[in-house]
Structures are given as structure tokens and as C-alpha cells.
Amino acid sequence: MMANYAMAFDYKLCINCHACEVACKEENGIDLGAKNHRLWIDEDGETEGDFWNLARDKITFIQMQCQECQDAPCLKACPNGAIYIDDNGIVRLYKEKCDLTLACMKACPYDARYIDEKNAITDKCIFCADTRLARGETTTACQITCPAKLRYFGDLDDEESEISKILRERKHFTLKPELGTKPKLFYLE
Amino acid sequence: MSVEVSRRKFLQGSVALSVAGASAISATNLFSSEHASNKHQPTDSRIPSTITTKTGTGEAVEVATLCEMCVNKCAALARVENGVITKLNPNPMFPKSKNMLCPRGNAGIQAAYDPDRLKYPMIRTGEKGKGQFKRVTWDEAYDAILNGTDKFPGLAKILEEEKDNRSSMLFCAGEGMAEHTFKQFYQAFGSSNWLNHASLCLQTVVSGYGVTLGGYPQSDLDNAEYIIMAGANRAEAIVTPDTMDCFKRTKGRGAKLVCVDPRFTNTAAKADKWLAIKPGTDLAFVLALTYVVFTEELYNKKYVANYFNGLEDYKNSVITNKYTPEWAEKITGIKAKDIYTIAREFMMHAPKAIYYPGRRSTFATNDFQLRRAQAIFQALGGGIDTKGGLIFGKKLKLGKHEGLEPLYARAEARAVSKKDHPKKGESGYDDCAIVSGGGSWIAWRNRYLEDRMPYKVRGMFCYKHNPMMNMPNTKKTAQMLKKMDLVVTIDTMPSDTVMYADVVLPECTYLERTDPVKTFGGVEPSIAVRNKVIDPLFETKPVRDILRGLTEKISKPLFEITKKYDEDVQDELEDSDEAEVYAEFDLTLPFEGTQEEVNHHMVASVYGEEAAHKLHKDGVFYPDMDKFYKKIGANEHQYYPEKEKAYSVRGGKPKTPSGKVECNIANLASKGVDPMPVWKDEYNFKVEEGKFRLLTGRHAQFTQSGTSNNSMLHDLIMTNFIWINQRVADKKGIKFGDMIEVSSKTGSTRLKAYPTEKIGPDTLFFIHGFGEESSELTWAYKNGGNDNAVIEDVVEPVYGAAAMHETNVEIRKV
């Protein structure tokens, strides 16, 4: 079974509760520790002015994780050829080839990777590829648990998939498009 | 639009609450080496060796259960691999939680595998409160409860000395599905002293709406066009389905949300409009909204004509008292023009407009009147029992099961102290006007400490309840626990309260037990069940099994004492066989059979065998589920078709005995309570120079002290911080992370500073549930500040609820 997996975020719905982060850690056995996470929520924007006159429209919560670049800087940067794109269009790692040069971490413009000390590799979101998808499920841990129901996960190559439809219907953007990395994570306006 | 992406290192969760650069727990193996002593060594192959366990691709069992990380009871599907719970996923079939699990729900695994859990029964060996215990067998623990040890008396001695006054034992419990099971023990035991979370929780809101509308309604946030959310923080204090329904529709997506809060919360961030308000003045805000509605005649005339009692009285009161928006601006800090606009917009959208009732603790002493004013304001728009408004909904029936409530002649009535000669229009009780089922915790505690009890209360049973952390004035609670001759706690964790126990009975967590089946009313009613996911770990047991074992031990010996003192029983024994008489006093009866059998019967007797099996398997059942339930998208399911939803079940008619909205309640006046909501000068927000009003509350990653030792949640939020206004902090030279001592007449606590403009210059805030003193808690011990060490025990006058936001404090940098 092959697919071209992607994710879209109705990002303005986020309430910054971190259910996605916990679900991801439990599903994928991620170590505790503030720096260890495959996904996180970025609190963007600050309040301005004093308390009784607080300007606050700029505050947004942004879902952050590997952007699944189709032209992935990490893949190109790895001196060991440890990074590849799998049959489902997901940027993956040959664990045995990784010797922690950290070139991928430095190359990633989205800061999506961290060091997984337990396995001595650099790790990042892989859409639950070796857990849920490997079991034949078609959801990710973060998508299914989200209280705001803002995550759409699916196959871009299937025109009838919900994500394909929603990307046809709604305006969206990608992060740092100027870098030409062609992310497959889409933020819905 | 484009989004600036900052670096991960600076992104440790919510800036408001977590620490940048907090020290991480790097250990992958919780149960070994650096973390603690040998108590953490796993001896059971069913306990995972690491905190998180990557889910596998092999064989797995899926069990439908209900979450107990907070009071919501969202539905979950537990994945079990080789006897280990590796993942909790949302159960899509439950209309209440609609296929979601919040961060706490996801972290439930860590409650089961918490290395600090109570693992076996213990009895006290050292000084009370020092947490010195010895491990015993269940039988030894039960025996100690009956016969005592050299350190404390048992039930036999206490009841003998109190001549079978069963009320000499207090029973108290926290919220939960098995609270019912414990309450059956209380009823069979025959005490009149029951205290639960209500007076520390939602007593005043439930009662305020109860006497006004005849019930505590739910909110149809899925269809409302206009929502006022005042003093409720649904983006952080998650409630299902409210949180899910509300925020998907704000900001131009169908509903306008007005948030009123003395803090800039995540709810404020997600709202269309946020109004800062002075703490405790919401009642003035509602009265002014009502004033606009009356003077501009914006109310729903047809609804008011059909379903209001005392409208003219209330209208006169609001108008002659001149509760104008200009008046309210001075009291609340909310601009008069905003009040006019909101009143008009609300009524324009009514009945699809909601003044959100909320379900929080009592904050101000006027809370009961606030809730009455909210309910009346809501009803003026006609938004009662209708789509997009407040709804009563439908509830599915369940079968009955046997309880036992024997009558003991020597059991005294509830230990409330009545006034000797109450004046007309005065409360008949010392502490509050009305004594509710759940009682007034702090009034009871204080009365007990001051020896103002009508008889001796000698001991207490405490189930899933943490009085040391959950109520104002921790010092007094400690004194109360020390003064009790016999304290028995049933809990999963070595909480601060457990440290004061004489006998500790370890319960298993919610993932290791089946609880009483429950029916969930609403627009989309259903029945749901918490199934046991794994067998209890260590020597723990479900509370039902604990109580079965305990009652088998104590029932007959205690009956012997009853025989000695109870004249009625003595009379009965003259005419009847002892076995026959004893059957009425056999405490073991409510705990016969397994919970699974009881649940099966309660469902099968109404809906048939197949329904009972389906419920067990799916975790959720409602009639026609096969027909109605379907997946309609990755993130959406249909539970009921639109025409089957129970938006309106009484045609808008309130549930009060009169069938009307009660504006003016004479019965309240006879108890010394204002019959209509009015403002009083004493409600004005006042803080002395140099002091601050202390606010407390919740957020999405913790549920009070119950989750304070959860390793996963602790990883998200390392500690609690005290919010202090940025400009005030600058003036005082306080910077982010500085240690602050907060003190009041009650006591003091210490925690780190978070200067921000998200809070006003005369208020402070920190999250409840931190700063525990039990050294048995690896993550929670002395972590952050305990609000209840500082909050004064102010008793709300109507129901005796604890008013949490009435304390002014001082701070200093230490």
C-alpha cells in the first residue's frame, strides 16, 4: 500500500492544550525531557500594552513538527545517506546509518529534529509510520486525539481524501515557502 | 499569511506556565537508579521499565474505558500489549467526548504506572502526620480498623464509647464514578456525617441554577450564536463537549464569544472579545446587563409572560437600584458602552445566546446570587430548553440495584450546629443558611476544631479525597486530621492527606477497575462504562473489593455493639430471630457480587442482554446507536441525526416546581438570604495598599492535586508560577523565575515569579494543586506553591461553600 501522506492544520482552532504532544510521546515511546519531542506548539505573538488596554489579536498557537519537505534539506545534508523518503512519502531515517553527525539538525529550517539519546539517532515526526501506519491504521496519534479537531491527515495522491478536498476548498500556506523545501504540512487560513 | 518560526529551544510549551530551559528528566528508566530508592524497582513483569512504551505492531487487546484524570469521564480505548497499557486512544463512539482525549487523558498511563503509588495496606507506626507506616496484609489492616493498635483506637472501641452513635465517624469523598460505591458504605454504616467535594466545587452554581430554573443545565455551544463566558476558562479547564464545541466556532466561524476574566487566559486569547474585570464583581456586570434589557425592553416578551415568576419585583429592584452600566463600570472596570453593546447583542441573538453557567468553585461570597442573576438574564432571552441555548436534555434510564440503609436508634443527626434562637429572617445554622447534601467542608472542619459539635466525632473514612490540598487553610486541616482518633484513607497515591492516616488502604487506579455504569444526559444521551483494562497492580484493589473485605470483618462485631445500645434492635430481637434482624444490618450486602455483574444487570434489565454486551465491548451504548452512529469525516462523527437530538424536552418550560423561572424567592428571605440578586457595598473589590488579591484556577495540563505527581504532565509543566503584573514586578525588582513568598493571615507558600501584563496590578494568580508536602511523591513534593496554604477560610453564606478568591496577600522576593 503506497500513499503520499500529508497533514493540514486548521491552526487557528488550537487551544494550546498539548494533547497532541502527550499522545505522540506515549504512542511512539518518546523520552521525557523538554527538548525531546517530535511535535510542539509554538505560541506566536505577544500581548501588547498594559493590562486594561491589552492588544491581543496577534496571539496564535502554531502546530510545529517535521514539515515533510519534498525537497528536504536534511536528506541532502546527511553525509551518510541515512535519510530517505519512504513509499508513503515520509522522510525517514536508516537508523543504522545514523552516527549523529547532526548535519540534518543543522540543515533543518524548521528545527524539527532532536537527539534521541536512547537510540543514538536524530529523531523527528514520521507520521507514526513505524507504529500506527505500520499496523495498517490511517490516523496519527496527534490527529485522532486533538480536542480542537484541527488536524487533517491523509493521502494527497487520493483526490477523494479529506485532506485533498480541504486543500482544494480552503486557502492555505506552508512555512518558509521562500526556501523552496516544498513542505507537505499545510496551514489552513 | 506567514508565521515566524522560532527555535525549539525557546519553545517549551506555553510560555505562560512552563519554564524556559527547565531541567529535563533524562532518565529513560524510571524504576531504577537515580530516581529513588528500591521502592521503584519493578518486581512485576506487567510494569513497564520505561516511562513511555512505544506501541508495537504485534498482538494487542483493546479495552473500552472511561478516563478519570479529571471529572469529565471522556471515553477511551486502551491498547494493551503483553499485559502493559501502551496507549490510550479516544473512543469515537461517545457523544460527550466526541473522539478526543486531552493531555491528561493521554497521560493516564502514568497514573497506573506511577512508581510512587500506594502498593499495599499500611498502618501507622510513628507520630501522626509524619508518614511512618508499616506494611501489613489486608486482613491486618481491616483488623486494625476494627480493633485499633497501640497507636490508635479501632471502630469497636469508638462505637462502644460513643454508645453506638454511628455518626461519630465522618465519611468524605472526592468526585468519581466509584464515589457511589463508597457512599453505600456510609449509608450502611449509618453515619449522618457526609462531606464531599461539592462545597469546594460547584455547590453554588448548581444550587443557584437549581432554585432559579429547576436544574443545572448544559450549554448547547454547538449551536449558540453568542456566548458570554465569565469566570470560566474552557480553553484551559477542559470540559467535554463544551471545550470542543465552543472554540471551533469563535472568530467569525458562527459564534461570537465574549470572555470576562480578571486574567488574560487562553480562553481570552481564543475569544472574540475579552473584558478584564475586577475579581468578584461579575454580579454587578450581570445586573447591569439586566438593567439594559429591562429599560430597553429587549427581553423575550412571550417567554417571560409564560414562564416567569416575580418578574415585576425583579425589574423594579434592578431599575430602582439603578444598576446602570455606568454604575457597573465603576465597580467592575468594564466600560459602560461595552455593557450596553453586549446586552443588546446577546438579546439580538437570543434564544441562541448563552450566558455560560460554568462549573467552577465558589470564588466570591456573592456567588449564589451571581448564578441566580445569570440564570434569570439567560431566561429573559428565552434561551432555556432550546437549540442554541441552555438545555436540560434527555437522560437514558438504568436499572436499579440493592443498597442498604439500616436505621440505628443511637445514630445522631448530622453534626451541624443550629442557632439556639434564630431571629426571624436569619439562618437557622451557625455557618450558612442551607445545609446541602454534600455539607459545608470548611464550616464542618472549623466547628470540629473549635469543639462546637453536638456530639463527639472520633474518626473518619476518606475516599479519593485530599482535604490537605483541596480546601483553604491547610494548617487547620492538618489540625483536624491530628485530632481525629482514627483516620482511614482509601487512595491510589501517598497524598498529603494519606500522610495523616492511621490505616492506609491502597486502591487500584481507574485503569485497573470496573466502575458503576453511568448514564450521561444531554442533547445526545448515552450510557457509558469504565471497564477494567488490566488487573490491579501490586496488592491494590478496587474500592468495592476493599469495602467487601472490610465489611466482612467489621459487620458482625459492630452489630454486637448495636445490640448492646440500640433499644429498637433490642425490641426486634425479642420478637424475631437474630439472623433476620442482622440481615437489615449486614454491611456486606451492598458489596455482594462483582461490579461487572451489577452493571450487566442494570443495563440488561432495561435494554436487554445484547445491549449489555454491546456496552461492555464498545464502552458506549444508546438505543438506535447502530442506525445513528456513523463516521462523517476524519474529525467528525454523527451520534444522532439532527431531528433526534434532545434540544428541547419541555417546550422551554423550566424545571422548577412552579414550572416558572423564579426571580423572587420568599423562602430564601426566610433563611436570611436575599430573595432576589442585589448588589451590596461589601461586594466591592477592595485591596489594601501594598497587598494583592489572590486568584487561583486550573489549566489544561493538570487536574488539581490529583495529577500533581504524573511524570508526563510534570514534563509539560514543571511547576506552577505566580502571575504578577509586569509593571508592578518592575517596580519591585522582581524578574521571571525569582522566588516569591506569598503570605496571608492563614500562612505562606513559595513559588517562582512570572511577570506579565496578562494580569492586573492588584491581583496575583497561580494554579491550584502544587506544593505538596508528602515526601513520598517524587515529582510533586515541595514543587511550587500551595494556594490553600495561603487562602483564608471564608465561608460563603448560603451553602457554606469555600470562597476561594476573597483573600488579600502580601508578597516578598526571597
Side-chain angles (χ1 to χ4, degrees), chain A residues 114-186:
Chain A
Y114 73 98
I115 300 168
D116 170 1
E117 289 175 20
K118 187 166 53 185
N119 296 306
I121 54 168
T122 63
D123 190 38
K124 67 163 188 77
C125 167
I126 52 170
F127 286 155
C128 297
D130 58 357
T131 51
R132 299 178 78 96
L133 299 188
R135 297 197 291 268
E137 294 171 33
T138 53
T139 55
T140 64
C142 57
Q143 180 263 319
I144 200 160
T145 209
C146 177
K149 294 287 160 231
L150 64 82
R151 290 166 184 261
Y152 294 86
F153 174 70
D155 183 1
L156 285 182
D157 288 349
D158 174 4
E159 286 191 7
E160 291 306 305
S161 70
E162 203 169 356
I163 190 169
S164 296
K165 283 184 194 163
I166 208 160
L167 290 174
R168 279 200 298 274
E169 284 164 13
R170 292 180 58 180
K171 278 189 188 164
H172 52 266
F173 61 90
T174 56
L175 299 184
K176 300 189 178 177
E178 67 280 6
L179 300 178
T181 55
K182 296 188 211 153
K184 282 200 296 178
L185 267 60
F186 304 96

Side-chain angles (χ1 to χ4, degrees), chain B residues 577-693:
Chain B
D577 179 47
E578 177 158 339
E580 219 172 285
V581 178
Y582 175 67
E584 292 166 47
F585 293 86
D586 183 355
L587 304 184
T588 64
L589 279 176
F591 312 107
E592 274 181 5
T594 66
Q595 189 65 60
E596 286 81 356
E597 287 162 357
V598 173
N599 288 350
H600 186 90
H601 168 75
M602 285 175 73
V603 178
S605 61
V606 183
Y607 305 96
E609 288 288 321
E610 202 190 322
H613 288 297
K614 239 177 108 45
L615 172 65
H616 176 70
K617 182 175 145 283
D618 296 335
V620 182
F621 169 79
Y622 53 93
D624 291 320
M625 191 171 177
D626 293 345
K627 226 169 26 178
F628 295 163
Y629 172 72
K630 49 178 96 120
K631 186 170 175 153
I632 51 176
N635 289 319
E636 236 182 317
H637 295 76
Q638 172 188 285
Y639 300 98
Y640 283 85
E642 185 65 14
K643 65 175 174 35
E644 299 287 342
K645 291 182 184 174
Y647 294 120
S648 183
V649 292
R650 302 170 52 87
K653 190 177 175 181
K655 278 184 163 177
T656 50
S658 64
K660 311 255 183 188
V661 177
E662 299 290 359
C663 297
N664 187 1
I665 303 177
N667 191 25
L668 287 176
S670 72
K671 294 182 164 71
V673 179
D674 293 325
M676 292 187 285
V678 289
W679 186 258
K680 294 178 172 175
D681 285 345
E682 71 212 53
Y683 299 157
N684 285 328
F685 177 71
K686 284 185 292 282
V687 179
E688 304 88 336
E689 184 70 30
K691 289 195 176 184
F692 301 86
R693 180 64 56 90

Side-chain angles (χ1 to χ4, degrees), chain B residues 165 167 170-171 183 186 190-196 199 203 411-418 429 434-441 444 447 452-455 457:
Chain B
N165 174 14
S167 300
L170 163 69
F171 291 74
K183 197 165 186 181
Y186 151 75
S191 172
S192 308
N193 286 307
W194 171 260
L195 291 167
N196 70 4
S199 65
Q203 180 74 60
E412 297 271 3
R414 192 169 204 163
V416 287
S417 50
K418 291 186 182 167
Y429 301 102
I434 299 164
V435 179
S436 63
S440 167
W441 232 130
W444 196 100
R447 216 158 50 226
R452 289 192 290 117
M453 287 290 178
Y455 49 83
V457 178

